[in-house]
Amino acid sequence: MWDPDAYKRALDFAAKAHGAQTVPGGGFPYVVHLTKVAAEVMRACAEDEGLDATLAVTCALLHDSVEDAGVSREQLVGAFGAKVADGVEALTKRESVPKPERMLDSLARIAAQPREIAIVKLADRITNLEPAPPQWSAEKRAAYREEAKQILDALQGRCAWLEARLAQKIAEYAV
Ligand code: NI
């Protein structure tokens, strides 16, 4: 089980880091996205007791803190240790990589991490496969669904529960 104090510490840190940022399209504070991802991860940890739930839930709450909120690796190491920082770093797309290759680059780094990091990625895409913002073209929605399939393929075998759930969300996603 996850440590509720670790959850609160990571949530406070993430809320401060993301500040007034909102969820694209939804208008909700960004922490709404983060807690949805954490909820998926918590359920996965309840289904699969071999997971380090505190590591997984902490990384779920912090997964966008480097990419979207400018938090540094040093800050994460200082506050949460190297294991969490390594996980969040793998979950961060690198701007130095050409855009079409960024997701696969990140997935390769996630695949080399403990499976707790992979389940955060699965949970993130499950959360993001909500109905697309109205301004998205059919082409963009189709590309987003394809990318979700890439994630599922790249992270096979990490968590049966979340993989089944992501497969279902992909099947239901309207393009
Ligand atoms: Ni995210």
Side-chain angles (χ1 to χ4, degrees), residues 50-85:
L51 288 162
D52 176 344
T54 297
L55 174 64
V57 169
T58 301
C59 287
L61 291 169
L62 298 171
H63 77 274
D64 283 329
S65 65
V66 172
E67 186 168 310
D68 294 328
V71 169
S72 69
R73 176 185 166 79
E74 291 65 37
Q75 285 174 289
L76 287 180
V77 172
F80 300 100
K83 217 169 171 182
V84 168

PDB file of all heavy atoms in Angstrom, residues 50-85:
ATOM      1  N   GLY A  50       2.544  -6.760  -5.961  1.00  0.00           N
ATOM      2  CA  GLY A  50       3.992  -6.780  -6.155  1.00  0.00           C
ATOM      3  C   GLY A  50       4.563  -5.412  -6.470  1.00  0.00           C
ATOM      4  O   GLY A  50       5.782  -5.237  -6.510  1.00  0.00           O
ATOM      5  N   LEU A  51       3.703  -4.444  -6.695  1.00  0.00           N
ATOM      6  CA  LEU A  51       4.179  -3.097  -7.043  1.00  0.00           C
ATOM      7  C   LEU A  51       4.577  -2.314  -5.797  1.00  0.00           C
ATOM      8  O   LEU A  51       3.951  -2.462  -4.745  1.00  0.00           O
ATOM      9  CB  LEU A  51       3.073  -2.329  -7.788  1.00  0.00           C
ATOM     10  CG  LEU A  51       2.790  -2.798  -9.220  1.00  0.00           C
ATOM     11  CD1 LEU A  51       1.422  -2.290  -9.675  1.00  0.00           C
ATOM     12  CD2 LEU A  51       3.877  -2.309 -10.177  1.00  0.00           C
ATOM     13  N   ASP A  52       5.574  -1.453  -5.939  1.00  0.00           N
ATOM     14  CA  ASP A  52       5.926  -0.501  -4.882  1.00  0.00           C
ATOM     15  C   ASP A  52       4.969   0.689  -5.042  1.00  0.00           C
ATOM     16  O   ASP A  52       5.170   1.574  -5.871  1.00  0.00           O
ATOM     17  CB  ASP A  52       7.387  -0.064  -5.053  1.00  0.00           C
ATOM     18  CG  ASP A  52       7.818   1.005  -4.044  1.00  0.00           C
ATOM     19  OD1 ASP A  52       6.943   1.647  -3.413  1.00  0.00           O
ATOM     20  OD2 ASP A  52       9.032   1.207  -3.905  1.00  0.00           O
ATOM     21  N   ALA A  53       3.907   0.657  -4.248  1.00  0.00           N
ATOM     22  CA  ALA A  53       2.816   1.607  -4.453  1.00  0.00           C
ATOM     23  C   ALA A  53       3.237   3.046  -4.147  1.00  0.00           C
ATOM     24  O   ALA A  53       2.786   3.978  -4.806  1.00  0.00           O
ATOM     25  CB  ALA A  53       1.619   1.214  -3.588  1.00  0.00           C
ATOM     26  N   THR A  54       4.094   3.224  -3.166  1.00  0.00           N
ATOM     27  CA  THR A  54       4.513   4.590  -2.829  1.00  0.00           C
ATOM     28  C   THR A  54       5.336   5.192  -3.967  1.00  0.00           C
ATOM     29  O   THR A  54       5.130   6.356  -4.348  1.00  0.00           O
ATOM     30  CB  THR A  54       5.291   4.604  -1.493  1.00  0.00           C
ATOM     31  OG1 THR A  54       4.386   4.174  -0.470  1.00  0.00           O
ATOM     32  CG2 THR A  54       5.791   5.999  -1.153  1.00  0.00           C
ATOM     33  N   LEU A  55       6.239   4.395  -4.538  1.00  0.00           N
ATOM     34  CA  LEU A  55       7.015   4.883  -5.692  1.00  0.00           C
ATOM     35  C   LEU A  55       6.079   5.223  -6.853  1.00  0.00           C
ATOM     36  O   LEU A  55       6.194   6.291  -7.470  1.00  0.00           O
ATOM     37  CB  LEU A  55       8.030   3.808  -6.127  1.00  0.00           C
ATOM     38  CG  LEU A  55       8.807   4.108  -7.410  1.00  0.00           C
ATOM     39  CD1 LEU A  55       9.696   5.339  -7.241  1.00  0.00           C
ATOM     40  CD2 LEU A  55       9.650   2.890  -7.831  1.00  0.00           C
ATOM     41  N   ALA A  56       5.140   4.329  -7.126  1.00  0.00           N
ATOM     42  CA  ALA A  56       4.246   4.518  -8.272  1.00  0.00           C
ATOM     43  C   ALA A  56       3.355   5.750  -8.089  1.00  0.00           C
ATOM     44  O   ALA A  56       3.203   6.568  -9.002  1.00  0.00           O
ATOM     45  CB  ALA A  56       3.389   3.272  -8.479  1.00  0.00           C
ATOM     46  N   VAL A  57       2.780   5.891  -6.907  1.00  0.00           N
ATOM     47  CA  VAL A  57       1.859   7.008  -6.662  1.00  0.00           C
ATOM     48  C   VAL A  57       2.625   8.336  -6.631  1.00  0.00           C
ATOM     49  O   VAL A  57       2.156   9.350  -7.168  1.00  0.00           O
ATOM     50  CB  VAL A  57       1.062   6.771  -5.353  1.00  0.00           C
ATOM     51  CG1 VAL A  57       0.317   8.010  -4.927  1.00  0.00           C
ATOM     52  CG2 VAL A  57       0.097   5.602  -5.535  1.00  0.00           C
ATOM     53  N   THR A  58       3.812   8.334  -6.040  1.00  0.00           N
ATOM     54  CA  THR A  58       4.626   9.553  -6.014  1.00  0.00           C
ATOM     55  C   THR A  58       4.975   9.983  -7.439  1.00  0.00           C
ATOM     56  O   THR A  58       4.820  11.172  -7.801  1.00  0.00           O
ATOM     57  CB  THR A  58       5.905   9.326  -5.182  1.00  0.00           C
ATOM     58  OG1 THR A  58       5.536   8.941  -3.854  1.00  0.00           O
ATOM     59  CG2 THR A  58       6.753  10.578  -5.120  1.00  0.00           C
ATOM     60  N   CYS A  59       5.406   9.038  -8.261  1.00  0.00           N
ATOM     61  CA  CYS A  59       5.747   9.384  -9.652  1.00  0.00           C
ATOM     62  C   CYS A  59       4.506   9.796 -10.440  1.00  0.00           C
ATOM     63  O   CYS A  59       4.591  10.661 -11.326  1.00  0.00           O
ATOM     64  CB  CYS A  59       6.464   8.222 -10.336  1.00  0.00           C
ATOM     65  SG  CYS A  59       8.154   8.012  -9.737  1.00  0.00           S
ATOM     66  N   ALA A  60       3.356   9.233 -10.114  1.00  0.00           N
ATOM     67  CA  ALA A  60       2.118   9.644 -10.796  1.00  0.00           C
ATOM     68  C   ALA A  60       1.848  11.126 -10.546  1.00  0.00           C
ATOM     69  O   ALA A  60       1.519  11.882 -11.465  1.00  0.00           O
ATOM     70  CB  ALA A  60       0.944   8.796 -10.308  1.00  0.00           C
ATOM     71  N   LEU A  61       2.007  11.550  -9.305  1.00  0.00           N
ATOM     72  CA  LEU A  61       1.706  12.952  -8.964  1.00  0.00           C
ATOM     73  C   LEU A  61       2.756  13.911  -9.525  1.00  0.00           C
ATOM     74  O   LEU A  61       2.464  15.078  -9.769  1.00  0.00           O
ATOM     75  CB  LEU A  61       1.609  13.102  -7.445  1.00  0.00           C
ATOM     76  CG  LEU A  61       0.382  12.406  -6.826  1.00  0.00           C
ATOM     77  CD1 LEU A  61       0.502  12.377  -5.308  1.00  0.00           C
ATOM     78  CD2 LEU A  61      -0.918  13.089  -7.250  1.00  0.00           C
ATOM     79  N   LEU A  62       3.959  13.399  -9.743  1.00  0.00           N
ATOM     80  CA  LEU A  62       5.050  14.273 -10.189  1.00  0.00           C
ATOM     81  C   LEU A  62       5.361  14.115 -11.673  1.00  0.00           C
ATOM     82  O   LEU A  62       6.278  14.771 -12.182  1.00  0.00           O
ATOM     83  CB  LEU A  62       6.313  13.955  -9.378  1.00  0.00           C
ATOM     84  CG  LEU A  62       6.201  14.205  -7.864  1.00  0.00           C
ATOM     85  CD1 LEU A  62       7.428  13.646  -7.144  1.00  0.00           C
ATOM     86  CD2 LEU A  62       6.040  15.693  -7.564  1.00  0.00           C
ATOM     87  N   HIS A  63       4.601  13.281 -12.410  1.00  0.00           N
ATOM     88  CA  HIS A  63       5.056  12.854 -13.740  1.00  0.00           C
ATOM     89  C   HIS A  63       5.194  13.986 -14.748  1.00  0.00           C
ATOM     90  O   HIS A  63       5.971  13.887 -15.676  1.00  0.00           O
ATOM     91  CB  HIS A  63       4.163  11.734 -14.299  1.00  0.00           C
ATOM     92  CG  HIS A  63       2.844  12.171 -14.845  1.00  0.00           C
ATOM     93  ND1 HIS A  63       1.724  12.319 -14.065  1.00  0.00           N
ATOM     94  CD2 HIS A  63       2.455  12.500 -16.107  1.00  0.00           C
ATOM     95  CE1 HIS A  63       0.716  12.705 -14.819  1.00  0.00           C
ATOM     96  NE2 HIS A  63       1.119  12.833 -16.069  1.00  0.00           N
ATOM     97  N   ASP A  64       4.452  15.074 -14.575  1.00  0.00           N
ATOM     98  CA  ASP A  64       4.555  16.194 -15.513  1.00  0.00           C
ATOM     99  C   ASP A  64       5.335  17.376 -14.945  1.00  0.00           C
ATOM    100  O   ASP A  64       5.395  18.435 -15.567  1.00  0.00           O
ATOM    101  CB  ASP A  64       3.150  16.671 -15.918  1.00  0.00           C
ATOM    102  CG  ASP A  64       2.480  15.743 -16.934  1.00  0.00           C
ATOM    103  OD1 ASP A  64       3.199  15.131 -17.750  1.00  0.00           O
ATOM    104  OD2 ASP A  64       1.241  15.637 -16.917  1.00  0.00           O
ATOM    105  N   SER A  65       5.932  17.198 -13.778  1.00  0.00           N
ATOM    106  CA  SER A  65       6.531  18.354 -13.092  1.00  0.00           C
ATOM    107  C   SER A  65       7.783  18.876 -13.809  1.00  0.00           C
ATOM    108  O   SER A  65       8.064  20.072 -13.753  1.00  0.00           O
ATOM    109  CB  SER A  65       6.852  18.014 -11.632  1.00  0.00           C
ATOM    110  OG  SER A  65       7.841  17.021 -11.557  1.00  0.00           O
ATOM    111  N   VAL A  66       8.509  18.001 -14.477  1.00  0.00           N
ATOM    112  CA  VAL A  66       9.691  18.453 -15.218  1.00  0.00           C
ATOM    113  C   VAL A  66       9.266  18.969 -16.597  1.00  0.00           C
ATOM    114  O   VAL A  66       9.603  20.095 -16.985  1.00  0.00           O
ATOM    115  CB  VAL A  66      10.734  17.309 -15.340  1.00  0.00           C
ATOM    116  CG1 VAL A  66      11.878  17.712 -16.262  1.00  0.00           C
ATOM    117  CG2 VAL A  66      11.267  16.938 -13.956  1.00  0.00           C
ATOM    118  N   GLU A  67       8.475  18.174 -17.303  1.00  0.00           N
ATOM    119  CA  GLU A  67       8.095  18.540 -18.679  1.00  0.00           C
ATOM    120  C   GLU A  67       7.219  19.793 -18.732  1.00  0.00           C
ATOM    121  O   GLU A  67       7.388  20.644 -19.602  1.00  0.00           O
ATOM    122  CB  GLU A  67       7.350  17.371 -19.330  1.00  0.00           C
ATOM    123  CG  GLU A  67       7.055  17.598 -20.802  1.00  0.00           C
ATOM    124  CD  GLU A  67       6.587  16.314 -21.495  1.00  0.00           C
ATOM    125  OE1 GLU A  67       7.245  15.280 -21.349  1.00  0.00           O
ATOM    126  OE2 GLU A  67       5.552  16.365 -22.167  1.00  0.00           O
ATOM    127  N   ASP A  68       6.295  19.923 -17.808  1.00  0.00           N
ATOM    128  CA  ASP A  68       5.295  21.004 -17.907  1.00  0.00           C
ATOM    129  C   ASP A  68       5.434  22.089 -16.853  1.00  0.00           C
ATOM    130  O   ASP A  68       4.755  23.114 -16.935  1.00  0.00           O
ATOM    131  CB  ASP A  68       3.873  20.422 -17.816  1.00  0.00           C
ATOM    132  CG  ASP A  68       3.540  19.543 -19.010  1.00  0.00           C
ATOM    133  OD1 ASP A  68       4.045  19.813 -20.107  1.00  0.00           O
ATOM    134  OD2 ASP A  68       2.781  18.584 -18.834  1.00  0.00           O
ATOM    135  N   ALA A  69       6.252  21.885 -15.835  1.00  0.00           N
ATOM    136  CA  ALA A  69       6.306  22.877 -14.758  1.00  0.00           C
ATOM    137  C   ALA A  69       7.741  23.329 -14.450  1.00  0.00           C
ATOM    138  O   ALA A  69       7.953  24.071 -13.491  1.00  0.00           O
ATOM    139  CB  ALA A  69       5.628  22.339 -13.501  1.00  0.00           C
ATOM    140  N   GLY A  70       8.705  22.874 -15.262  1.00  0.00           N
ATOM    141  CA  GLY A  70      10.057  23.394 -15.128  1.00  0.00           C
ATOM    142  C   GLY A  70      10.800  22.989 -13.864  1.00  0.00           C
ATOM    143  O   GLY A  70      11.788  23.619 -13.486  1.00  0.00           O
ATOM    144  N   VAL A  71      10.347  21.930 -13.196  1.00  0.00           N
ATOM    145  CA  VAL A  71      11.065  21.437 -12.015  1.00  0.00           C
ATOM    146  C   VAL A  71      12.354  20.756 -12.501  1.00  0.00           C
ATOM    147  O   VAL A  71      12.366  20.123 -13.555  1.00  0.00           O
ATOM    148  CB  VAL A  71      10.170  20.445 -11.237  1.00  0.00           C
ATOM    149  CG1 VAL A  71      10.949  19.706 -10.163  1.00  0.00           C
ATOM    150  CG2 VAL A  71       8.976  21.179 -10.621  1.00  0.00           C
ATOM    151  N   SER A  72      13.424  20.909 -11.741  1.00  0.00           N
ATOM    152  CA  SER A  72      14.694  20.295 -12.162  1.00  0.00           C
ATOM    153  C   SER A  72      14.869  18.922 -11.513  1.00  0.00           C
ATOM    154  O   SER A  72      14.244  18.610 -10.489  1.00  0.00           O
ATOM    155  CB  SER A  72      15.872  21.186 -11.760  1.00  0.00           C
ATOM    156  OG  SER A  72      16.017  21.180 -10.345  1.00  0.00           O
ATOM    157  N   ARG A  73      15.738  18.144 -12.136  1.00  0.00           N
ATOM    158  CA  ARG A  73      16.081  16.839 -11.561  1.00  0.00           C
ATOM    159  C   ARG A  73      16.634  17.003 -10.134  1.00  0.00           C
ATOM    160  O   ARG A  73      16.282  16.238  -9.240  1.00  0.00           O
ATOM    161  CB  ARG A  73      17.123  16.168 -12.467  1.00  0.00           C
ATOM    162  CG  ARG A  73      17.618  14.870 -11.906  1.00  0.00           C
ATOM    163  CD  ARG A  73      18.723  14.199 -12.672  1.00  0.00           C
ATOM    164  NE  ARG A  73      19.287  13.170 -11.816  1.00  0.00           N
ATOM    165  CZ  ARG A  73      18.733  11.983 -11.617  1.00  0.00           C
ATOM    166  NH1 ARG A  73      17.642  11.651 -12.246  1.00  0.00           N
ATOM    167  NH2 ARG A  73      19.269  11.124 -10.781  1.00  0.00           N
ATOM    168  N   GLU A  74      17.469  18.040  -9.956  1.00  0.00           N
ATOM    169  CA  GLU A  74      18.077  18.262  -8.636  1.00  0.00           C
ATOM    170  C   GLU A  74      17.000  18.481  -7.569  1.00  0.00           C
ATOM    171  O   GLU A  74      17.110  17.986  -6.452  1.00  0.00           O
ATOM    172  CB  GLU A  74      19.025  19.461  -8.673  1.00  0.00           C
ATOM    173  CG  GLU A  74      20.286  19.253  -9.478  1.00  0.00           C
ATOM    174  CD  GLU A  74      20.058  19.056 -10.976  1.00  0.00           C
ATOM    175  OE1 GLU A  74      19.143  19.721 -11.533  1.00  0.00           O
ATOM    176  OE2 GLU A  74      20.750  18.232 -11.592  1.00  0.00           O
ATOM    177  N   GLN A  75      15.969  19.252  -7.931  1.00  0.00           N
ATOM    178  CA  GLN A  75      14.880  19.489  -6.967  1.00  0.00           C
ATOM    179  C   GLN A  75      14.184  18.181  -6.600  1.00  0.00           C
ATOM    180  O   GLN A  75      13.845  17.949  -5.435  1.00  0.00           O
ATOM    181  CB  GLN A  75      13.855  20.465  -7.554  1.00  0.00           C
ATOM    182  CG  GLN A  75      14.316  21.911  -7.572  1.00  0.00           C
ATOM    183  CD  GLN A  75      13.306  22.788  -8.314  1.00  0.00           C
ATOM    184  OE1 GLN A  75      13.176  22.702  -9.537  1.00  0.00           O
ATOM    185  NE2 GLN A  75      12.585  23.594  -7.571  1.00  0.00           N
ATOM    186  N   LEU A  76      13.957  17.338  -7.601  1.00  0.00           N
ATOM    187  CA  LEU A  76      13.277  16.056  -7.328  1.00  0.00           C
ATOM    188  C   LEU A  76      14.153  15.138  -6.494  1.00  0.00           C
ATOM    189  O   LEU A  76      13.660  14.485  -5.562  1.00  0.00           O
ATOM    190  CB  LEU A  76      12.898  15.362  -8.644  1.00  0.00           C
ATOM    191  CG  LEU A  76      11.735  15.975  -9.425  1.00  0.00           C
ATOM    192  CD1 LEU A  76      11.488  15.176 -10.701  1.00  0.00           C
ATOM    193  CD2 LEU A  76      10.457  16.036  -8.593  1.00  0.00           C
ATOM    194  N   VAL A  77      15.441  15.104  -6.810  1.00  0.00           N
ATOM    195  CA  VAL A  77      16.349  14.265  -6.019  1.00  0.00           C
ATOM    196  C   VAL A  77      16.342  14.745  -4.570  1.00  0.00           C
ATOM    197  O   VAL A  77      16.232  13.947  -3.631  1.00  0.00           O
ATOM    198  CB  VAL A  77      17.789  14.279  -6.593  1.00  0.00           C
ATOM    199  CG1 VAL A  77      18.754  13.565  -5.641  1.00  0.00           C
ATOM    200  CG2 VAL A  77      17.841  13.617  -7.969  1.00  0.00           C
ATOM    201  N   GLY A  78      16.410  16.060  -4.390  1.00  0.00           N
ATOM    202  CA  GLY A  78      16.440  16.624  -3.042  1.00  0.00           C
ATOM    203  C   GLY A  78      15.178  16.318  -2.251  1.00  0.00           C
ATOM    204  O   GLY A  78      15.232  15.998  -1.065  1.00  0.00           O
ATOM    205  N   ALA A  79      14.027  16.392  -2.913  1.00  0.00           N
ATOM    206  CA  ALA A  79      12.764  16.234  -2.193  1.00  0.00           C
ATOM    207  C   ALA A  79      12.300  14.780  -2.113  1.00  0.00           C
ATOM    208  O   ALA A  79      11.641  14.389  -1.139  1.00  0.00           O
ATOM    209  CB  ALA A  79      11.677  17.084  -2.865  1.00  0.00           C
ATOM    210  N   PHE A  80      12.601  13.969  -3.139  1.00  0.00           N
ATOM    211  CA  PHE A  80      12.004  12.630  -3.205  1.00  0.00           C
ATOM    212  C   PHE A  80      13.006  11.498  -3.459  1.00  0.00           C
ATOM    213  O   PHE A  80      12.617  10.338  -3.489  1.00  0.00           O
ATOM    214  CB  PHE A  80      10.914  12.594  -4.291  1.00  0.00           C
ATOM    215  CG  PHE A  80       9.809  13.573  -4.032  1.00  0.00           C
ATOM    216  CD1 PHE A  80       9.774  14.792  -4.680  1.00  0.00           C
ATOM    217  CD2 PHE A  80       8.819  13.284  -3.105  1.00  0.00           C
ATOM    218  CE1 PHE A  80       8.768  15.709  -4.426  1.00  0.00           C
ATOM    219  CE2 PHE A  80       7.811  14.194  -2.835  1.00  0.00           C
ATOM    220  CZ  PHE A  80       7.784  15.412  -3.503  1.00  0.00           C
ATOM    221  N   GLY A  81      14.268  11.839  -3.700  1.00  0.00           N
ATOM    222  CA  GLY A  81      15.281  10.809  -3.920  1.00  0.00           C
ATOM    223  C   GLY A  81      15.484  10.475  -5.392  1.00  0.00           C
ATOM    224  O   GLY A  81      14.685  10.844  -6.257  1.00  0.00           O
ATOM    225  N   ALA A  82      16.576   9.740  -5.648  1.00  0.00           N
ATOM    226  CA  ALA A  82      17.012   9.485  -7.030  1.00  0.00           C
ATOM    227  C   ALA A  82      16.055   8.568  -7.792  1.00  0.00           C
ATOM    228  O   ALA A  82      15.859   8.720  -9.000  1.00  0.00           O
ATOM    229  CB  ALA A  82      18.408   8.883  -7.029  1.00  0.00           C
ATOM    230  N   LYS A  83      15.437   7.616  -7.101  1.00  0.00           N
ATOM    231  CA  LYS A  83      14.557   6.660  -7.789  1.00  0.00           C
ATOM    232  C   LYS A  83      13.352   7.374  -8.415  1.00  0.00           C
ATOM    233  O   LYS A  83      12.974   7.114  -9.554  1.00  0.00           O
ATOM    234  CB  LYS A  83      14.080   5.617  -6.770  1.00  0.00           C
ATOM    235  CG  LYS A  83      13.976   4.227  -7.336  1.00  0.00           C
ATOM    236  CD  LYS A  83      13.760   3.216  -6.218  1.00  0.00           C
ATOM    237  CE  LYS A  83      13.444   1.866  -6.821  1.00  0.00           C
ATOM    238  NZ  LYS A  83      13.180   0.832  -5.817  1.00  0.00           N
ATOM    239  N   VAL A  84      12.759   8.280  -7.642  1.00  0.00           N
ATOM    240  CA  VAL A  84      11.631   9.069  -8.152  1.00  0.00           C
ATOM    241  C   VAL A  84      12.107   9.994  -9.269  1.00  0.00           C
ATOM    242  O   VAL A  84      11.471  10.099 -10.326  1.00  0.00           O
ATOM    243  CB  VAL A  84      10.966   9.878  -7.006  1.00  0.00           C
ATOM    244  CG1 VAL A  84       9.998  10.924  -7.549  1.00  0.00           C
ATOM    245  CG2 VAL A  84      10.249   8.937  -6.039  1.00  0.00           C
ATOM    246  N   ALA A  85      13.253  10.646  -9.052  1.00  0.00           N
ATOM    247  CA  ALA A  85      13.776  11.563 -10.075  1.00  0.00           C
ATOM    248  C   ALA A  85      14.068  10.825 -11.379  1.00  0.00           C
ATOM    249  O   ALA A  85      13.755  11.317 -12.467  1.00  0.00           O
ATOM    250  CB  ALA A  85      15.040  12.254  -9.557  1.00  0.00           C
TER     251      ALA A  85
END
